[in-house]
């Protein structure tokens, strides 16, 4: 676990970047994953700090991080994890959450009514975690990622997928819907709704808004806030992050 902690720390605080001609595109900070993949033989690190409150329970991720690497023109591989601090009543747990490994493959470019399309597959590895957060089973997930270009400054993105829960191995269905608008070349606003649902259960729905600020062509700052809605428990969260491309 010490090696994973060192990797996360290095990913968050290493800021020596090689500038790229193309402006950075990220999957964070919201739940909707972009169909864009990382340029071949380049690394993109997307990291952040989050705080979540549900009733009297509080959760911190300090940090969470995604490491993405472009293996060839239309494909990337990725590793995801987070250092989590969980306050529940009189108890507190902290440690690395299960490591997630995955891949994204870009299928089609936007053309007319056809959106940008990509397929994302990933799995959490239950034993690659600190004891407090180890899970009983592997948890695979697959998503179809789509994005429509509404104008040069606006986009509509959505994901549809399924995840098999680590606790029960039952499928949980996922939807996301996200709209973004670029106010300037550096500032973008994002609004999103997403949800998760098991069979014969109400969906757990969430809405959030975010602001993205491009510091350089290869570096982006973001801040996000959101809350659960409808049938979901009362939960609020905020997150701030930094992404950069090497």
């Amino acid at each position: 676990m010490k090696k994973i902690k060192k990797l996360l720390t290095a990913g968050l605080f290493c800021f020596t970047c090689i500038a790229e001609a193309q402006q950075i595109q990220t999957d964070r900070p919201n739940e909707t994953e972009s169909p864009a993949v990382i340029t071949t033989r380049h690394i993109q690190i997307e990291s952040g700090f989050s705080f979540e409150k549900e009733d009297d329970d509080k959760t911190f991720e300090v940090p969470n991080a995604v490491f993405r690497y472009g293996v060839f023109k239309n494909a990337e591989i990725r590793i995801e994890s987070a250092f989590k601090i969980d306050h529940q009543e009189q108890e507190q747990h902290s440690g690395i959450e299960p490591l997630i490994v995955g891949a994204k493959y870009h299928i089609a470019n936007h053309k007319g009514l056809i959106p940008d399309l990509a397929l994302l597959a990933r799995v959490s590895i239950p034993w690659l975690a600190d004891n407090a957060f180890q899970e009983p089973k592997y948890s695979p997930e697959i998503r179809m990622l789509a994005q429509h270009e509404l104008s040069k400054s606006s986009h509509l993105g959505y994901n549809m997928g399924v995840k098999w829960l680590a606790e029960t191995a039952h499928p949980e269905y996922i939807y996301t819907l996200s709209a973004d608008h670029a106010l300037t070349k550096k500032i973008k606003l994002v609004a999103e709704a997403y949800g998760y649902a098991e069979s014969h259960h109400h969906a757990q729905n969430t809405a959030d808004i975010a602001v993205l600020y491009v510091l350089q062509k290869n570096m982006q700052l973001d801040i996000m806030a959101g809350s659960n809605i409808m049938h979901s428990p009362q939960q609020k969260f905020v997150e701030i992050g930094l992404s950069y491309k090497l």
Side-chain angles (χ1 to χ4, degrees):
M1 290 301 104
K2 289 183 178 179
K3 290 184 179 180
I4 298 176
K5 292 176 184 178
K6 289 179 180 179
L7 184 62
L8 289 173
T9 304
L12 183 65
F13 295 107
C14 173
F15 300 114
T16 304
C17 302
I18 302 171
E20 297 296 319
Q22 185 179 5
Q23 185 168 297
I24 186 170
Q25 297 183 62
T26 63
D27 281 346
R28 63 164 296 114
N30 56 8
E31 184 66 26
T32 303
E33 304 277 1
S34 164
V37 296
I38 302 303
T39 311
T40 306
R41 296 191 299 276
H42 285 81
I43 298 173
Q44 187 160 297
I45 302 170
E46 304 180 9
S47 57
F49 296 90
S50 69
F51 168 73
E52 182 180 297
K53 186 176 186 297
E54 182 178 338
D55 298 325
D56 293 328
D57 297 340
K58 299 176 183 178
T59 302
F60 302 84
E61 289 187 349
V62 286
N64 52 56
V66 183
F67 300 85
R68 304 168 60 191
Y69 178 73
V71 289
F72 53 87
K73 182 179 179 181
N74 292 320
E76 68 176 54
I77 55 176
R78 51 202 286 152
I79 299 174
E80 308 173 35
S81 192
F83 186 86
K84 185 176 182 180
I85 302 172
D86 197 2
H87 293 271
Q88 293 184 351
E89 297 180 353
Q90 303 301 317
E91 295 185 356
Q92 176 177 315
H93 302 285
S94 62
I96 298 290
E97 291 190 289
L99 200 72
I100 299 171
V101 296
K104 186 195 292 187
Y105 182 76
H106 186 261
I107 299 170
N109 291 315
H110 171 77
K111 185 177 181 181
L113 297 177
I114 299 174
D116 262 335
L117 289 173
L119 189 67
L120 172 65
R122 55 191 172 191
V123 60
S124 68
I125 303 175
W127 45 271
L128 281 179
D130 282 321
N131 291 335
F133 298 106
Q134 287 188 2
E135 297 175 334
K137 295 180 174 68
Y138 288 85
S139 180
E141 176 183 343
I142 188 166
R143 293 193 194 191
M144 179 64 73
L145 320 177
Q147 181 173 276
H148 291 272
E149 184 177 309
L150 305 179
S151 70
K152 290 184 178 180
S153 58
S154 300
H155 300 85
L156 180 68
Y158 49 92
N159 296 174
M160 294 174 288
V162 61
K163 177 180 181 179
W164 286 266
L165 300 174
E167 296 80 8
T168 63
H170 293 165
E172 179 180 64
Y173 302 98
I174 306 162
Y175 82 89
T176 78
L177 180 65
S178 175
D180 67 70
H181 178 72
L183 298 179
T184 69
K185 290 183 178 180
K186 290 183 173 291
I187 301 173
K188 182 184 290 185
L189 298 180
V190 184
E192 177 190 50
Y194 64 91
Y196 300 86
E198 294 183 68
S199 296
H200 312 298
H201 289 75
H202 288 299
Q204 301 294 307
N205 298 294
T206 302
D208 58 62
I209 56 173
V211 178
L212 283 57
Y213 182 75
V214 177
L215 300 170
Q216 301 175 9
K217 286 185 180 295
N218 61 343
M219 187 179 295
Q220 176 183 279
L221 180 70
D222 61 69
I223 184 168
M224 178 182 70
S227 174
N228 285 11
I229 56 176
M230 296 172 67
H231 300 289
S232 302
Q234 290 300 311
Q235 184 183 63
K236 301 182 186 301
F237 56 89
V238 294
E239 186 164 346
I240 185 168
L242 182 70
S243 302
Y244 41 99
K245 187 176 180 181
L246 304 176

